[in-house]
Amino acid sequence: MSRLPLHALPGFIAAARTGNLSRAADSLHLTVSALSHQIKALELRLNRTLFVRGARGITLTEDGRRLLERIGPHYDGIESALRPYAARHDDILTVSVTPSMTSAWLVPRLGRFLASHPELELSVLSDSALVDFARDTHIDVALRIGNGEWPGLQVELLMDEWLVPVASPELIDRHGGLPTPESLREWPLLGDPDDEWNHWFAHHGLAPVKRYVATFNDSEAQNRAARDGVGVGLGRLTRARLMLASGQLVALMAEPVKASYAHYLVYPSRSSSHRGMQVFRDWLHQQVRADVRSFAKLPLPKS
């Protein structure tokens, strides 16, 4: 009896799950012709038709469906077991960052970092979802915002976050100058993605407002809306700093309020020895120290 063409099983599974030979071939870095030959060889060896070819793709036959049910879970288990042993390259670093921190904080600094470290290839994944490092083994490190509690991971505090209401110069002119915390309640406020307005008003001994003129689920979008005069945003100094320094936004209060969360560097223990991650980590801490010093130079109103 000839040996089973086991090399064809990944192609069969990919084709069965996508229902499309082109997408399955791309996922395996094969040509469509090579994948078709693999599947044909498997069908001949099993003496079963596994797919019905049609104008809109391929469909599993009953035999094909039974084969997928039997081998699919085993294939997934083998793939999962092998993930921790994937080849690691110390000159390739994959970083997960929230979208607002990517555009407002990380990207403006990346040019200098990459120019200083041409040996590194950096992949930035902009995503708000928490990383499952056990599953997503290609991700080496994440920049995250929270309370610092991520069990089973290495967690380093980068910096605290500070909140200050911000608005465009035009909006301030329309309201006749800077407000007090009490009078700010009568201004058009932009809903905060993290509900930090409640925290800010409570800090000043005030009840939360009942209505916002518009609400955004991303702080960078909120900053842009404030810049364009839509309303008052609750600016994070880490992300509003450049707009404040350029005068696009104006801080409405003299004293920023510490947020209920902070910024952290989060990574699994396997990344501790990653040379690229070590370089990136040291650079991040340098950037943070420079940022904290720059906060003292921001144009804030006098108390």
Side-chain angles (χ1 to χ4, degrees):
M1 180 181 289
S2 61
R3 301 178 65 182
L4 286 170
L6 297 180
H7 68 283
L9 294 181
F12 163 74
I13 292 171
R17 289 176 172 173
T18 62
N20 184 284
L21 285 177
S22 295
R23 289 200 298 270
D26 287 344
S27 71
L28 297 169
H29 306 290
L30 295 173
T31 64
V32 173
S33 176
L35 178 58
S36 296
H37 279 97
Q38 287 186 6
I39 292 173
K40 187 63 176 176
L42 183 61
E43 289 179 322
L44 288 173
R45 176 63 185 80
L46 298 177
N47 195 27
R48 298 284 192 281
T49 299
L50 302 176
F51 293 101
V52 175
R53 280 74 171 174
R56 295 187 176 182
I58 54 175
T59 305
L60 284 169
T61 63
E62 186 60 27
D63 285 326
R65 185 186 61 77
R66 283 197 296 268
L67 180 61
L68 180 64
E69 288 176 351
R70 291 177 180 178
I71 69 172
H74 298 290
Y75 180 80
D76 293 340
I78 292 171
E79 190 177 54
S80 177
L82 289 176
R83 271 194 205 114
Y85 300 96
R88 190 184 79 177
H89 303 280
D90 279 355
D91 58 347
I92 299 175
L93 183 68
T94 300
V95 184
S96 172
V97 195
T98 57
S100 59
M101 281 297 285
T102 300
S103 59
W105 194 88
L106 184 60
V107 168
R109 295 165 168 78
L110 272 186
R112 294 191 299 274
F113 172 71
L114 294 175
S116 300
H117 301 282
E119 76 283 1
L120 283 182
E121 178 181 329
L122 191 65
S123 176
V124 178
L125 306 180
S126 185
D127 196 341
S128 296
L130 293 177
V131 178
D132 183 346
F133 287 104
R135 182 193 65 205
D136 301 320
T137 55
H138 64 291
I139 300 178
D140 302 298
V141 62
L143 274 67
R144 280 295 176 260
I145 301 169
N147 59 8
E149 296 181 5
W150 288 278
L153 297 173
Q154 307 295 314
V155 179
E156 298 181 19
L157 175 65
L158 289 174
M159 58 183 159
D160 293 322
E161 183 60 271
W162 297 86
L163 310 169
V164 63
V166 294
S168 68
E170 294 76 17
L171 186 66
I172 296 170
D173 287 343
R174 290 205 304 267
H175 283 77
L178 297 177
T180 64
E182 293 83 0
S183 65
L184 183 61
R185 295 167 56 82
E186 306 305 319
W187 287 44
L189 301 182
L190 301 176
D192 184 73
D194 303 309
D195 248 358
E196 289 289 320
W197 270 123
N198 291 342
H199 172 69
W200 189 88
F201 279 115
H203 175 84
H204 290 281
L206 299 169
V209 296
K210 296 180 179 180
R211 179 181 177 275
Y212 300 104
V213 295
T215 300
F216 299 87
N217 66 353
D218 178 78
S219 62
E220 184 64 7
Q222 183 189 224
N223 285 343
R224 290 195 294 270
R227 176 198 63 191
D228 293 338
V230 178
V232 178
L234 189 58
R236 283 88 170 131
L237 289 187
T238 54
R239 281 157 279 184
R241 183 179 64 87
L242 295 178
M243 288 188 183
L244 286 168
S246 66
Q248 297 179 76
L249 287 175
V250 176
L252 303 184
M253 302 291 161
E255 297 293 334
V257 173
K258 188 175 180 180
S260 57
Y261 55 82
H263 297 270
Y264 295 88
L265 188 67
V266 183
Y267 54 93
S269 57
R270 60 177 163 80
S271 295
S272 299
S273 59
H274 190 298
R275 286 195 297 275
M277 205 285 285
Q278 293 169 354
V279 170
F280 183 70
R281 171 186 174 275
D282 291 344
W283 174 79
L284 275 179
H285 283 289
Q286 291 171 4
Q287 294 299 305
V288 165
R289 288 194 292 270
D291 248 25
V292 171
R293 290 194 298 269
S294 73
F295 289 163
K297 301 176 183 178
L298 288 176
L300 299 177
K302 295 185 182 300
S303 302

